[in-house]
Structure formats: structure tokens, C-alpha cells
Amino acid sequence: MNSQDVTRALKSGSFIFWMIVIVFASLLLGWIVGGADSAERAAMPGTAATAIVAWFTTFFLLGMARGMSISSFAEDKFSGALEASLVRPVSRAGLVFGRFIGVVLGVLIAAVVAAVLVSSAYTYGHGGPAFPQLATIDLAIGLAIAGIVMTALCFLITYATASASGARWATRGINWLLFVVFAPAFSLANIPALLVANPLMLPLTLTSGAVPYSVPPGLATALLFGPLQGTRIGDPALIGIGIGWIAATVLGLLAKVRVTD
Amino acid sequence: MLRFAAVGKTYRGGSSPAVGNVTFDVQPGEIVGLVGLNGAGKTTLLRMAAGLLLPSQGTVYVEGHDVARDKRAASRQIGWVPELPIFPPRTPLFDTLGYLAGYYAGEAGSANDRRALLTAVGLGPQERALYSTLSQGMKKRFAVATSMLGQPSNYLLDELLNGLDPEWIRWARDWMAGLRQRGAAILLSSHLLGELEGIADRYAFIHQGQLIGVVPRGAIGQHLPPRFLVRLANPNDAVLAVLAGFGEVFLDQQVIRIEGPRVPPEAVTIELNRRGYIIQEFRVEEPNLEEFFFHLIAQVRAQ
């Protein structure tokens, strides 16, 4: 594995990363510049806005995993630019894993930054440090594991499609299909059994059980904010499934790299 | 040194091998010209040596390293110039060169060395230019600069001269000659057979994926007879009948051409003198690379 490939993959996610930062920073800045006091902030729909933006974090991360998987490997392969790297002193597996690690790192950084911004927005929105201290770490861990799991899935499928079909439209199509299928799944998954069965449903949950949003009761809310409630990312089973999924992906990549020409 | 040992490649879904059982080598300090029609398998062969394709059979060795099993060590000694170079389109040349140099772990020299590479291929003033803004010839020259990263001892040059203007064709010729002098092994594919004739030490002929011959420069005459060219001061219709006994005779703008002569040159001049013809010019012309190539192909087709 070479740092060149890690760096190249990381750079490919910079656009979406900055989108995440800008969206959350704008939210915070809007409240601060708006000068609302704690009572006003509590009365404002700011906490709901925080919840919605936080909810969108999963989409940003999924989009980032999707976009980086395409641009870090598949697009280079289709354009031919990948060969300029592959002809250098690097093994095939080293090149693929370098880019994979780069994508994972990119999503990981975005997940941590998003977690910090979400918790900051929540804290400020509630007029004080009502947000449980450990919840930020939980949120970061939850987003990170979810992000890596999503990335692993996206990268593996994108790599496999790009290598097997050699067709840009097929690779992009499947890549987008992943996004389209999993994005609603994130918001609709409200059944713990489903969460356990599918490690992709991990994001935005707290060990403490607390949810950093003002979520009014009701069926629509339950559907909308489903993944945010009821599941603890601290559950060893869930973490185990997440790590298992990542390991399976890495093994899948290894097997694929060996037979791919 | 490059060595192809019974190398073959069949693409997925391909009905027949793109390359089959090819064995030859390129020695240090040698330029081997790879000659073949479109689709003959030249690029496939070069791409296998570059580590971009895995052979379906056989092994490509670079300095003794199996390209498939020991790619890092093999690639360290390979400089590759593709027929149609593709690099990140929206990245400045100097940055792309720096990025690719990173693969050599410090062996690709300093930033100044990379600037010198760009200057050597005439792209010094364009170091901040985006790759997508370059002309075809400039892209080729940039590919040449990237091939020199890490100073490899083996070069795979796929249609290097295509897209270059006469000035840079001359430069490329001198560049290859310089590499050869420093002991590099160069495998150069080209459709410009006249250019290959001027630079290659040996020719490897490939047709429909099969190696149909490897011939040193200057040895073509041993495989294909020369032709005689005769210009007479007093030609007439009868002379063609006289010369027909020596080979296949053609008249082309006052020059009589005897193809595939069955006698030595002296036999022709003696006979012409004996019959009173005045010889203004008599030349023995060796067959060129193109003629030899088509001769080989004709032989294969006849089989």
C-alpha cells in the first residue's frame, strides 16, 4: 500500500466533506449571529432543524462513501489514468487497498467532524451543555462505524462492477442504486431486529439512549427519525457485526483483486 | 533486460488468444522494434510487460523479476509510454509528476530533478499547465517524462513517435539512442517502419498474436533476396526478355527492376555487356523492413 493512493482517494472526497462542514457550520453560525438567547432558542424550531440536519448527515456520509468510491478508483480506471499509477512500483492489491483506506479515512474524518458539529449545534440549540458529554463520542463512534460500513459496501461493489463490467454506466448505475436503496432505508429502519440483522443501519445512535433532538411523538416522526432512536451503538453485537462486515469486505476485495485483470 | 517466456493472453470472452506463446528477449543496450498490423497483439504484449495485464500463460521477466508475482520490483525497472497517454486531466503537469514520483520512495529525485525532466521534454514552461490543455504531441512528451521517473533500465514504448512533430521525432530518436548507450533495454512498437529501421537493433514481428520472426538489423537480406536496379543508355524492348531469365523483371520510368534474382549481380552485367547494352547505373538494393514484414506475413498466410 502506498501513501500516494491514500492521498489521492482522500482528495476525491474533499468536496462532500466541505459540504458537511459548511452545512453544519452555517447552522451554528446562524444561531450565533442571530443573537437568540436561550429562551428564544428553546422556542425556535432550531432543535428540530438540528435534528433534520443531523439526520441528513447519514445521507452526506453515504453520498461521500458513494462519491469517493467512484472517483477514487472507478473513474480513474475508466479514464485510463489509473494505469499511470499501476505501472509504477506498486502491487495491484496495494493500489486498491491504498485507495480503499483513503476513502475510509475520508468518511471517518467527515463522520467525526459531523458528530462534533451536530452535538455543538444541539448544545447551543438547548441553551447550554445539556447534551451528555459521552454522547458526542458515541455519536462519533456510531457515525464512524456506520460510515466505514457504508464505505466498505460502496467500494467493494463499485470496484467489483468497474472491474467486471468495464462499463462506466453500469458502475455509476449500481453505485447510485446503492445510495437510492440505502438512503430511505436509513430513515425507515425503525425495527431493532432489522438494525441487528443489517449492520448498515447503525448511524446516529447513542449508548446512553438519549437522542440529541427534539423529536415530537407520532408515527411520521417515528418513521422519519427511526434510526435515531432505540438502538445503542455501544451494543457489542452491533459493533461486532459492523467490524465483521468491514472484515468481510476487505477479504472480498482481496479475493477480487487476485482474480481481476 | 526484458524476457518474454511463452507468454500468452486470452481476453475474457475472446474466441482466440490475443497473444499466444511468445518467446523473445530484449538485451541491455538494445532496441527491439515490435512490428505488426493493427490488432496483432503488440500493445497487449507491452501491457503485460508493464504489469497492466496479467498473462494467461507464460511469464514476463523484467531484470529477472516475474511481473505478475513480483510486480513492485519489476515495475521499478520499467518506463512505459502508452500509445495514448492518459493522466489526471485537471492537474498541473508538475503536480502529476510529483504524485507519480511518490511511488518511487525518494528514488525519483528532488523537485528540481522533476523540473529537469519536464525541461528535457520541452515542457518546462508548461509545468503549471493542466494536462487536458496539452496537444497530442505534448501529452506524449509528458508521458516520456513520467517514464524516466526513477531512471528505470527497461523501456516499453508503444507508438512513441505517433503524434510527435519532426523536431521531436528526432529528439525521441536521440533520446532512445542515449538510453541504449547507457545500457537500457528498449522495446519499441511502431507502424512507422522507416523510423524503426533507423533505430532498432532487432525486429520482432508479430502477426495475429504469434511471433513470426525475430531478425537483427542488417540480416533481412539473408532471409529475402535483394533486387537489382539497372539503368541503360540504350534500352530497347528486347532487353526485358533478356533479363527475364534472371528474375522477375519490371520497367519503372527507365529503370529496370529485377526482383528475386536467381543469379549474382555480375552475371547480369556480363550478359548486358555481351549484348552491347551500355550500363549507366547498376544497384543492388536490399529489401527494406516493410517488404520483409509483408514477405513474412505472406509466408504465414500461405501456411
Side-chain angles (χ1 to χ4, degrees), chain B residues 85-96:
Chain B
I86 298 172
F87 294 95
R90 286 182 288 278
T91 309
L93 301 186
F94 186 74
D95 295 356
T96 299

Side-chain angles (χ1 to χ4, degrees), chain B residues 97-226:
Chain B
L97 206 56
Y99 162 67
L100 296 175
Y103 284 106
Y104 294 84
E107 293 173 51
S110 64
N112 281 338
D113 293 331
R114 295 198 289 277
R115 279 203 175 83
L117 278 183
L118 285 176
T119 304
V121 297
L123 293 173
Q126 282 88 18
E127 73 166 49
R128 297 311 306 168
L130 304 183
Y131 181 74
S132 58
T133 64
L134 301 184
S135 70
Q136 191 58 40
M138 287 171 154
K139 287 177 177 173
K140 211 51 166 283
R141 279 148 53 194
F142 182 65
V144 169
T146 65
S147 76
M148 289 191 275
L149 284 169
Q151 297 182 318
S153 52
N154 300 270
Y155 287 81
L156 303 164
L157 311 176
D158 195 356
E159 300 291 349
L160 169 68
L161 306 173
N162 276 10
L164 295 181
D165 64 27
E167 183 186 359
W168 284 97
I169 286 180
R170 178 192 283 182
W171 178 89
R173 221 184 284 136
D174 292 344
W175 174 64
M176 286 187 280
L179 291 175
R180 171 171 55 192
Q181 205 167 10
R182 289 200 292 276
I186 301 172
L187 183 55
L188 167 69
S189 88
S190 180
H191 288 128
L192 303 174
L193 301 188
E195 285 293 339
L196 271 188
E197 255 181 321
I199 187 88
D201 302 301
R202 281 192 298 155
Y203 313 109
F205 299 93
I206 186 165
H207 183 60
Q208 294 178 341
Q210 304 294 320
L211 190 71
I212 56 174
V214 180
V215 178
R217 179 164 61 165
I220 285 177
Q222 295 168 12
H223 299 268
L224 199 63

